[in-house]
């Protein structure tokens, strides 16, 4: 019988020598039948046997023709789909051919191997120098990769803040400190002549006096100053007002401190953005790959859901219960989907109106939190004015009032959200995501409301006397340092709350649950180590650090110390006073979630910093931007000193004639990327369908083999 088109000798070697029955048998496969149904869409028939030819031909060509191929073209043996024996045979062929090559080629090959070995050894050595390597691996071994991802995320923030601190310290703090101590010749900032006339009638604009640093000072005043950032601490390099150096002279070179201050701020924000985007893209790829249907999700939980990093018995039991919870959640979601599909129009209207009402309650809770923060900030700042400062300078409760109100809002609002979400009739997975997004919003928005309240007080003038200054100089002679103090107090108070909750709540709760026989305590149980809540805590603190570094340049160093201590506090809490959450949290999805929330916090930090640089007048009594109307004015001043040709180029780049075409090109690139992403998504879907077809082919072949055994 004649061979069908498309069959040649290599295929005959793979399949049976009797071709026609083989072809008829293969044509019964589900994948071939699916291919026939799709024939009009794929553009023509395709031979099924051609799918088997490349793999067999590639393996044969790799083994038999390895000597004739250029040694630079083949991939590494670890990437070849060959058996160990075949790889050894191929390695022997390659080693035999090396001796016939030139000396240059042999030297190049040896150098590449040595360099690769050096890189591998360096990576191995650097892994031993990794921060908290042993601690994080022990946590991973006892509690799995979900909780380990939180501590790895905490380590990432420590490294990020170290880099930010080195950047700020090298370009801002160190040059200014050396210049103030006479190591380098430098000139201090002075008010520009353009603004001298209005300020001559208002000398208070250029007057900045720090109280509490002269005369008899009690010891407890130093403690209060240390906690609030006032007094002696206000005149140190910790805050914005210390940096009054204008130009530093290194021989023939000049270093413009105001320009360096602004560029360093933009540099650490840009570095954080690029670093987060890079890590987020990697996590997004993993989450995109893991986007699976319900059947695949079920198979992954049953056959690949176990975490083999776990070595502790209690952690293994917890993992069992987590998998059980995941399966129950999937079944609950399927039940809810069926319930949603069976809803009548009346039931749909009822649930929609109920959700609208509950979301109105959520907005009311948010409004109450924002209004409380606003009123607390206005009252605190008004009481701390210079007229009243002699009465309340030692009142820590009043100074920390906005921080305490924000902490209460961060604690009460999530509890209310978790109660309201149960009545909205969402699926369990969507309930978790929606609650988390609401908690993220309330935490980050509280910081925005605090800054809005401060800037409302800064820019408001009760009379016309402060109009020449452009800000309320009576209440805020150096408003940047005051904002830095608020960020400093928020960071310190956040650390105090984390420490106090662990020591004074979680630890006594552990003792009562363990040693007290009262059923109420036993029913309460241990505090769960909830990963999302702990992540929101450190993201909240990191957002404060990003915003406050401009006003408090050494704040990243404080954040490094804080996160370093928090790591051990959380580790001790996890090991001794808390229990892991029963709700599972995968490492792949959690890493992406952590970075997305952190990216939202960074975007929030861009907004207030951009507004303060470009909209709010800079202080005329302190800081490096005294002679500029606004901080961004140093950029225009620097450009004005450039040559005329370069000024024209920069002005043309900033003009509409360049912005409009650039925007159009960016739009075209974006549309191209969207189209490319759509094409890649279609390819991924086709590959998934091919995997499904292969599984059906295996089932078909097993069924045929079973029938053949019965007939025989």
């Amino acid at each position: 019988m004649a061979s069908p088109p498309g069959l040649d000798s290599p295929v005959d070697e793979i399949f049976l020598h009797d071709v026609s029955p083989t072809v008829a048998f293969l044509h019964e496969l589900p994948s071939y039948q699916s291919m026939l149904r799709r024939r009009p869409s794929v553009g023509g028939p395709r031979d099924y046997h051609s799918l088997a030819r490349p793999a067999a031909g590639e393996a044969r060509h790799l083994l038999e023709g390895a000597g004739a191929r250029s040694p630079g073209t083949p991939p590494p043996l670890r990437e070849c789909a060959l058996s160990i024996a075949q790889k050894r045979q191929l390695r022997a062929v390659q080693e035999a051919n090396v001796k016939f090559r030139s000396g240059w080629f042999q030297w190049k090959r040896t150098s590449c191997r040595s360099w690769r070995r050096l890189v591998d050894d360096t990576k191995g050595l650097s892994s031993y120098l990794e921060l908290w390597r042993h601690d994080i691996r022990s946590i991973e071994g006892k509690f799995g990769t979900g909780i380990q991802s939180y501590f790895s995320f905490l380590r990432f923030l420590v490294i990020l803040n170290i880099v930010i601190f080195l950047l700020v310290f090298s370009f801002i703090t160190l040059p200014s400190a050396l210049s103030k101590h006479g190591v380098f010749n430098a000139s201090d900032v002075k008010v520009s002549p353009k603004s001298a006339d209005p300020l001559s009638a208002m000398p208070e604009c250029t007057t900045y006096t720090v109280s509490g640093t002269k005369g008899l000072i009690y010891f407890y005043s130093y403690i209060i100053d240390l906690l609030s950032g006032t007094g002696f601490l206000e005149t140190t390099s910790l805050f914005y007002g210390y940096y009054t150096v204008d130009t530093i002279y290194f021989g023939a070179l000049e270093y413009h401190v105001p320009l360096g201050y602004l560029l360093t701020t933009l540099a650490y924000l840009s570095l954080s953005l690029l670093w987060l985007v890079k890590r987020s893209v990697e996590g997004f790829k993993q989450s995109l790959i893991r986007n699976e249907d319900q059947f695949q999700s079920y198979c992954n939980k049953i056959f690949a859901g176990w975490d083999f990093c776990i070595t502790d018995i209690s952690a293994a039991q917890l993992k069992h219960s987590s998998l059980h919870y995941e399966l129950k959640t999937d079944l609950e979601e399927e039940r809810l989907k069926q319930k949603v599909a069976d809803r009548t129009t009346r039931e749909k209207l009822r649930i929609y109106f109920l959700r609208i009402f509950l979301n109105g309650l959520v907005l009311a809770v948010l409004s109450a939190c924002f209004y409380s923060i606003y009123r607390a900030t206005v009252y605190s700042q008004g009481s701390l004015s210079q007229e009243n400062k002699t009465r309340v300078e030692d009142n820590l409760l009043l100074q920390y009032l906005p921080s305490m109100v924000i902490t209460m809002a961060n604690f009460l609002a999530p509890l209310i959200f978790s109660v309201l979400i149960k009545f909205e009739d969402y699926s369990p997975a969507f309930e978790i995501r929606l609650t988390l997004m609401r908690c993220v919003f309330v935490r980050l928005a509280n910081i925005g409301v605090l800054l809005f309240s401060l800037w409302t007080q800064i820019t408001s003038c009760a009379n016309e006397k402060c109009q020449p200054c452009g800000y309320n100089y009576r209440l805020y002679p150096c408003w940047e340092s005051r904002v830095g103090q608020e960020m400093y107090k928020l960071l310190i108070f956040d650390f105090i709350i984390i420490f106090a909750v662990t020591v004074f709540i979680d630890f006594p709760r552990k003792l009562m649950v363990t040693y007290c026989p009262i059923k109420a305590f036993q029913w309460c149980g241990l505090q769960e180590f909830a990963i999302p809540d702990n992540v929101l805590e450190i993201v909240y603190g990191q957002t404060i650090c990003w915003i406050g570094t401009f006003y408090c340049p050494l704040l990243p160093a404080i954040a490094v110390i804080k996160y370093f201590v928090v790591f051990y506090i959380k580790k001790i809490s996890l090991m001794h006073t808390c229990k892991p959450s029963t709700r599972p949290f995968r490492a792949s999805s959690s890493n992406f979630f952590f970075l997305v929330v952190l990216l939202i916090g960074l975007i929030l930090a861009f907004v207030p910093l951009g507004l303060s640089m470009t909209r709010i007048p800079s202080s005329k009594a302190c800081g490096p931007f005294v002679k500029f109307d606004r901080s961004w004015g140093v950029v225009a001043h620097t450009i004005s000193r450039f040559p005329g040709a370069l000024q024209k180029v920069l002005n043309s780049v900033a003009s509409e004639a360049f912005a409009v075409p650039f925007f159009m090109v960016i739009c075209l690139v974006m549309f191209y990327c969207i189209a490319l992403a759509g094409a890649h998504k279609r390819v991924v879907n086709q590959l998934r369908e091919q995997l499904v077809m292969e599984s059906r082919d295996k089932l078909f072949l097993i069924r045929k083999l079973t029938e053949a055994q019965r007939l025989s």
Side-chain angles (χ1 to χ4, degrees):
M1 183 176 295
S3 298
L7 284 176
D8 47 13
S9 56
V11 179
D12 295 338
E13 294 177 2
I14 297 175
F15 298 104
L16 300 174
H17 293 287
D18 189 5
V19 179
S20 297
T22 305
V23 175
F25 176 72
L26 292 175
H27 285 180
E28 297 179 7
L29 290 174
S31 58
Y32 183 79
Q33 298 296 326
S34 177
M35 190 186 304
L36 290 179
R37 289 193 297 270
R38 299 179 184 178
R39 179 176 296 178
S41 61
V42 299
R46 183 182 179 186
D47 185 12
Y48 182 86
H49 305 284
S50 63
L51 300 175
R53 187 183 300 115
E58 181 182 358
R60 187 182 299 110
H61 186 65
L62 188 61
L63 291 173
E64 298 177 357
R69 179 181 296 184
S70 175
T73 55
L77 289 179
R78 69 180 64 179
E79 298 180 4
C80 298
L82 302 174
S83 63
I84 297 297
Q86 290 173 333
K87 289 183 179 181
R88 289 174 179 173
Q89 182 181 359
L90 182 57
R91 172 62 62 85
V93 172
Q94 291 178 350
E95 294 294 339
N97 289 334
V98 170
K99 64 180 67 176
F100 300 104
R101 299 292 178 178
S102 62
W104 165 255
F105 173 79
Q106 294 182 13
W107 178 84
K108 182 179 178 181
R109 180 183 177 88
T110 305
S111 301
C112 291
R113 284 187 174 182
S114 301
W115 174 254
R116 191 181 302 114
R117 190 178 297 110
L118 177 62
V119 172
D120 294 339
D121 293 341
T122 304
K123 290 181 179 179
L125 180 62
S126 62
S127 64
Y128 286 98
L129 301 177
E130 195 175 19
L131 182 63
W132 296 320
R133 174 175 175 268
H134 176 72
D135 295 328
I136 291 179
R137 287 196 174 185
S138 64
I139 291 172
E140 181 182 9
K142 290 184 178 180
F143 302 101
T145 56
I147 294 180
Q148 174 264 340
S149 62
Y150 163 76
F151 289 93
S152 298
F153 180 66
L154 192 58
R155 178 177 59 189
F156 164 70
L157 289 183
V158 170
I159 297 174
L160 177 64
N161 282 287
I162 289 176
V163 174
I164 295 175
F165 166 71
L166 292 177
L167 190 66
V168 174
F169 183 79
S170 301
F171 292 96
I172 299 178
T173 306
L174 185 61
S176 300
L178 293 178
S179 300
K180 283 181 175 293
H181 288 83
V183 178
F184 300 112
N185 294 326
S187 61
D188 292 338
V189 292
K190 297 179 181 179
V191 180
S192 60
K194 295 182 179 179
S195 57
D197 293 336
L199 289 173
S200 61
M202 295 296 297
E204 295 88 351
C205 288
T206 58
T207 302
Y208 176 42
T209 303
V210 179
S211 61
T213 58
K214 297 180 181 180
L216 181 62
I217 301 175
Y218 295 100
F219 175 75
Y220 66 86
S221 299
Y222 289 105
I223 304 298
I224 294 175
D225 293 341
L226 189 64
L227 293 175
S228 60
T230 56
F232 78 96
L233 207 60
E234 192 172 352
T235 59
T236 63
S237 59
L238 181 62
F239 292 107
Y240 173 92
Y242 172 84
Y243 302 92
T244 57
V245 178
D246 184 25
T247 305
I248 302 175
Y249 302 97
F250 301 97
L253 300 178
E254 295 181 0
Y255 179 68
H256 198 46
V257 175
L259 181 63
Y261 200 104
L262 183 65
L263 293 182
T264 303
T265 302
L266 298 178
Y268 81 74
L269 291 175
S270 302
L271 176 65
S272 302
L273 179 62
L274 294 177
W275 203 342
L276 288 180
V277 168
K278 180 180 178 298
R279 294 175 66 98
S280 300
V281 167
E282 296 175 356
F284 178 72
K285 291 178 181 178
Q286 295 180 3
S287 64
L288 187 63
I289 294 174
R290 294 179 180 270
N291 188 15
E292 53 202 13
D293 56 22
Q294 291 298 323
F295 180 74
Q296 290 175 331
S297 175
Y298 174 78
C299 293
N300 288 336
K301 289 182 178 66
I302 296 298
F303 299 107
W306 185 254
D307 191 349
F308 288 93
C309 296
I310 295 176
T311 58
D312 187 69
I313 297 178
S314 60
Q317 295 175 352
L318 179 66
K319 186 63 178 178
H320 277 289
S321 62
S322 297
L323 291 173
H324 183 255
Y325 173 80
E326 285 192 32
L327 294 175
K328 287 177 61 178
T329 302
D330 291 342
L331 293 175
E332 181 67 18
E333 288 185 359
E334 292 297 324
R335 186 189 67 81
L336 288 176
K337 288 181 181 179
Q338 185 64 33
K339 180 181 177 181
V340 170
D342 297 338
R343 280 176 183 167
T344 61
T345 305
R346 184 176 180 179
E347 292 177 345
K348 291 180 180 179
L349 292 175
R350 183 188 65 82
I351 194 66
Y352 289 155
F353 280 116
L354 179 61
R355 290 175 180 174
I356 292 173
F357 173 73
L358 293 177
N359 280 279
L361 292 181
V362 170
L363 293 177
V365 171
L366 293 176
S367 301
C369 293
F370 297 160
Y371 182 74
S372 301
I373 295 170
Y374 176 79
R375 295 305 307 170
T377 305
V378 172
Y379 177 74
S380 175
Q381 297 298 314
S383 301
L384 292 173
S385 61
Q386 291 185 354
E387 291 80 359
N388 301 328
K389 196 166 186 178
T390 55
R391 293 190 297 107
V392 296
E393 64 177 357
D394 296 334
N395 194 341
L396 273 180
L397 181 64
L398 190 60
Q399 292 186 6
Y400 271 89
L401 183 60
S403 301
M404 289 187 291
V405 173
I406 290 176
T407 303
M408 289 298 297
N410 293 339
F411 175 74
L412 294 177
L415 294 179
I416 299 174
F417 295 157
S418 61
V419 173
L420 294 179
I421 195 69
K422 296 179 181 179
F423 299 98
E424 297 186 54
D425 201 9
Y426 290 119
S427 63
F430 187 77
E431 281 185 5
I432 296 174
R433 289 194 294 267
L434 183 59
T435 304
L436 286 177
M437 294 310 299
R438 286 173 176 173
C439 294
V440 170
F441 177 78
V442 71
R443 280 183 175 269
L444 300 183
N446 287 340
I447 302 176
V449 173
L450 173 65
L451 294 174
F452 173 77
S453 305
L454 288 174
W455 288 331
T456 302
Q457 298 295 308
I458 292 169
T459 57
S460 63
C461 293
N463 49 49
E464 297 181 356
K465 293 183 178 181
C466 65
Q467 290 296 334
C469 299
Y471 60 95
N472 191 347
Y473 72 91
R474 295 183 180 275
L475 186 59
Y476 303 97
C478 183
W479 66 265
E480 290 92 348
S481 292
R482 182 65 69 86
V483 175
Q485 290 171 0
E486 293 299 327
M487 298 295 104
Y488 173 82
K489 287 186 286 188
L490 279 177
L491 198 66
I492 295 297
F493 192 74
D494 183 56
F495 172 74
I496 293 174
I497 290 298
I498 293 175
F499 178 80
V501 168
T502 303
V503 175
F504 299 110
I505 296 180
D506 293 342
F507 182 69
R509 183 174 177 177
K510 166 74 173 180
L511 295 178
M512 288 187 294
V513 171
T514 305
Y515 300 105
C516 188
I518 300 177
K519 292 184 178 180
F521 294 147
Q522 300 295 327
W523 175 82
C524 183
L526 297 176
Q527 175 67 32
E528 287 190 353
F529 190 86
I531 298 177
D533 296 339
N534 286 280
V535 169
L536 292 181
E537 285 182 357
I538 58 177
V539 169
Y540 167 76
Q542 185 59 36
T543 305
I544 295 172
C545 180
W546 275 323
I547 297 175
T549 302
F550 180 78
Y551 311 102
C552 183
L554 296 184
L555 200 61
I558 301 175
V560 170
I561 299 173
K562 171 195 169 184
Y563 291 141
F564 198 87
V565 178
V566 165
F567 179 89
Y568 290 101
I569 291 176
K570 293 298 182 181
K571 179 187 174 183
I572 295 173
S573 176
L574 175 64
M575 296 288 188
H576 302 288
T577 63
C578 293
K579 63 178 181 179
S581 177
T582 55
R583 287 187 172 183
F585 219 71
R586 288 184 178 178
S588 58
S589 59
S590 61
N591 288 330
F592 178 64
F593 166 73
F594 299 163
L595 294 171
V596 168
V597 175
L598 194 60
L599 193 60
I600 295 174
L602 179 59
I603 294 173
L604 174 66
F606 273 100
V607 176
L609 288 177
L611 291 176
S612 65
M613 292 178 186
T614 58
R615 297 295 180 183
I616 302 178
S618 57
S619 296
K620 302 301 184 293
C622 66
F625 304 103
V626 165
K627 64 180 182 179
F628 303 105
D629 292 335
R630 290 170 177 82
S631 302
W632 195 256
V634 68
V635 176
H637 175 72
T638 304
I639 293 176
S640 65
R641 300 170 62 183
F642 287 165
L646 185 57
Q647 290 187 35
K648 292 181 180 179
V649 172
L650 294 176
N651 291 331
S652 61
V653 169
S655 63
E656 294 83 357
F658 176 82
V660 174
F662 180 76
F663 178 74
M664 295 177 64
V665 171
I666 291 296
C667 290
L668 292 176
V669 173
M670 183 182 63
F671 291 146
Y672 170 76
C673 293
I674 292 174
L676 189 63
H680 289 167
K681 186 175 182 180
R682 288 192 295 270
V683 171
V684 170
N685 292 332
Q686 292 176 1
L687 292 175
R688 285 180 177 175
E689 292 177 0
Q690 184 177 349
L691 290 175
V692 174
M693 287 293 103
E694 288 182 1
S695 63
R696 293 180 181 177
D697 288 347
K698 292 178 182 179
L699 294 175
F700 175 78
L701 293 175
I702 292 173
R703 186 168 60 251
K704 288 296 183 181
L705 287 174
T706 305
E707 294 177 358
Q709 290 177 354
R710 290 177 180 176
L711 293 177
S712 62

